[in-house]
Amino acid sequence: MSGDSAALAAALKRFEGLYPETIHLSLGRVEAALEALGRPQDRLPPVIHVAGTNGKGSTSAFMRAMAEAAGLKVHVFTSPHLVRFNERIRLAGEIVDDARLIDWLERTYEAIKGQEITHFEATTATALLAFSEVPADLLILEVGLGGRYDATNVIEQPALCVITPVDFDHKAFLGSDIRKIAGEKAGIIRPGRPVLSAIQRKVCDDVITAEAARQEAPLYKLKAHYIDAMPDHIGLIGEHQRANAALAAMAMQLFGNSTRIPQEAIFEGARTATWPARMQRLQNGPLTALVPGREVWLDGGHNPHAARAIARHLAKQEGKTVLVSAMLASKDATGFFLPFRSLRPPVFTVPNAPGHRAAEPQELAEAANTAGLEAVACESLEAGLKAAAETGADRILICGSLYLAGEVLSKNGEEPV
């Protein structure tokens, strides 16, 4: 999943070992780092802070496209990256280059060395430093994990908070109580600052509504007619993406008060938005050459909520689909495969990208069997693709992991830009 240069990899590696845990949700460490850096979070352009379980990246991509169609310069912070770390930091429309990123990483390290801080916290502080020093009209800031104690939750006066659909994921850190998960996501709401929520299951809606009331924050909720109003053809594929586009459109109207972001720009952004590894059809490349004559698609969705959206889309397609899948060991693999039961696609499980706690292919195949699907474990991504092609399916969907998605894009020569 990493295509970083040696110099950038070395600069990033310096943050390893500053704290014994990879993830430990807390704000104290990142706040101390930001103090050492001179509080760059106080010198940012207006911020739209985005939390939620699914759709954060896609909604952010739609918002960026809409704002840029209106002529605004937009910073974006997202995670994780797919191929290169640089993808996480987009400065005024452009992915940050190695030279500037290394400089900001080194400045951050010099300011915080000796402090305890996780890698994500340190790199988030670096991103905020970068955003504070490059002019822009808007910063779209995506939560990494959770919300309340995520390293991004240091913005005291966001222009807008956006909460995308809330569901189960990252149970090791957020638990399996959906009310508590919703409460963590709602933790980005700030006193008196407007918040926009996607269409949520009732229990999550209740939690978000109560938190907004407690913070005396104006609460806006996405309505179905916003989804219906989206253009017939939008930049990302699937009915769930129409909802993400509509959420982005409403966010842009709230941000721009319908003046800086005209309706034409909102529709143009909806039509032109791109976001890799979200029902992305792969182009001709080294991987797709292994399965000539087959459509190969890629989606990084990795939890049951995402799987339901993928399955709904596939159910509307003609022809036969086969899945090639890898997942992290911590994910609910059976829950991911269950939404595909009615489609009954053959499943070929493969190893995940190196360097991550992956489910073994045989273990993943057994999870698919438990969900009612026929599955075969394969020794490699390439073997899985060839086996999938031999079924005669019309399309192959590679799915289950953003880390796998990054490996696929790298091997097929489709690095995000």
Side-chain angles (χ1 to χ4, degrees):
M1 188 175 172
S2 179
D4 298 330
S5 68
L8 178 56
L12 288 165
K13 190 173 180 60
R14 297 179 76 186
F15 293 124
E16 296 179 7
L18 294 180
Y19 194 72
E21 298 182 51
T22 302
I23 300 174
H24 182 189
L25 297 177
S26 171
L27 290 179
R29 294 180 300 274
V30 72
E31 288 174 340
L34 292 169
E35 287 292 335
L37 288 167
R39 297 187 59 86
Q41 72 270 34
D42 295 339
R43 303 187 301 276
L44 299 172
V47 174
I48 295 180
H49 199 190
V50 185
T53 303
N54 285 310
K56 296 191 301 294
S58 297
T59 300
S60 296
F62 278 119
M63 287 193 292
R64 176 171 73 88
M66 292 169 182
E68 290 180 342
L72 302 187
K73 291 183 178 180
V74 185
H75 294 331
V76 187
F77 180 69
T78 57
S79 61
H81 59 279
L82 293 171
V83 180
R84 295 189 304 144
F85 182 89
N86 311 55
E87 298 164 29
R88 299 182 180 215
I89 301 173
R90 188 175 290 270
L91 294 168
E94 301 292 334
I95 291 176
V96 65
D97 60 87
D98 278 9
R100 289 194 297 172
L101 178 53
I102 290 169
D103 178 65
W104 278 310
L105 287 167
E106 290 179 344
R107 287 169 57 191
T108 300
Y109 181 80
E110 290 302 316
I112 69 171
K113 62 183 179 181
Q115 294 185 21
E116 289 191 334
I117 190 167
T118 69
H119 194 279
F120 180 75
E121 291 164 348
T123 53
T124 299
T126 301
L128 295 177
L129 177 63
F131 294 138
S132 75
E133 295 184 354
V134 177
D137 302 299
L138 168 65
L139 165 57
I140 299 170
L141 186 66
E142 180 190 310
V143 163
L145 195 159
R148 187 177 306 278
Y149 297 110
D150 183 74
T152 63
N153 199 24
V154 292
I155 310 302
E156 294 181 358
Q157 291 286 310
L160 177 68
C161 296
V162 176
I163 303 176
T164 66
V166 175
D167 213 282
F168 296 102
D169 198 7
H170 300 293
K171 290 185 179 180
F173 301 101
L174 302 180
S176 56
D177 183 331
I178 194 64
R179 289 186 62 86
K180 290 183 178 179
I181 294 171
E184 289 303 305
K185 309 296 185 183
I188 69 168
I189 298 173
R190 284 288 185 261
R193 305 308 302 159
V195 57
L196 169 63
S197 178
I199 296 173
Q200 308 281 0
R201 60 170 78 190
K202 186 178 185 303
V203 63
C204 298
D205 183 72
D206 289 345
V207 170
I208 293 167
T209 299
E211 180 65 17
R214 191 177 75 82
Q215 299 283 5
E216 297 183 348
L219 174 62
Y220 303 86
K221 298 180 182 181
L222 179 65
K223 302 298 182 184
H225 68 267
Y226 264 83
I227 302 174
D228 296 336
M230 287 297 97
D232 291 338
H233 300 286
I234 61 173
L236 303 180
I237 294 173
E239 283 303 307
H240 60 295
Q241 295 293 5
R242 296 186 64 80
N244 291 332
L247 187 67
M250 194 168 176
M252 287 297 95
Q253 288 188 329
L254 290 169
F255 174 74
N257 293 322
S258 302
T259 53
R260 296 182 67 196
I261 316 290
Q263 192 70 46
E264 309 86 73
I266 287 175
F267 285 166
E268 178 66 14
R271 287 189 290 263
T272 60
T274 60
W275 192 234
R278 274 68 174 182
M279 287 310 297
Q280 174 183 354
R281 183 172 178 177
L282 297 181
Q283 303 300 311
N284 293 334
L287 274 184
T288 54
L290 298 175
V291 289
R294 299 287 185 271
E295 293 182 10
V296 184
W297 294 78
L298 177 66
D299 195 284
H302 48 265
N303 56 43
H305 184 272
R308 291 194 293 271
I310 297 169
R312 285 195 299 269
H313 173 70
L314 293 178
K316 298 178 182 179
Q317 309 307 306
E318 295 182 357
K320 182 180 178 182
T321 301
V322 60
L323 305 183
V324 173
S325 183
M327 298 187 75
L328 294 180
S330 60
K331 297 300 180 182
D332 178 5
T334 299
F336 179 84
F337 288 119
L338 278 171
F340 298 101
R341 281 178 302 177
S342 62
L343 302 175
R344 304 192 67 80
V347 178
F348 296 90
T349 60
V350 301
N352 211 335
H356 305 283
R357 282 191 62 249
E360 292 296 326
Q362 185 58 46
E363 176 187 358
L364 199 57
E366 292 169 2
N369 292 156
T370 300
L373 304 179
E374 294 185 4
V376 176
C378 300
E379 63 182 12
S380 67
L381 169 62
E382 290 79 1
L385 284 171
K386 291 177 181 178
E390 290 172 0
T391 66
D394 300 280
R395 73 184 61 81
I396 299 168
L397 174 63
I398 304 171
C399 60
S401 168
L402 283 171
Y403 299 103
L404 173 65
E407 181 182 21
V408 167
L409 291 173
S410 179
K411 288 185 172 182
N412 206 50
E414 296 190 58
E415 183 176 308
V417 294

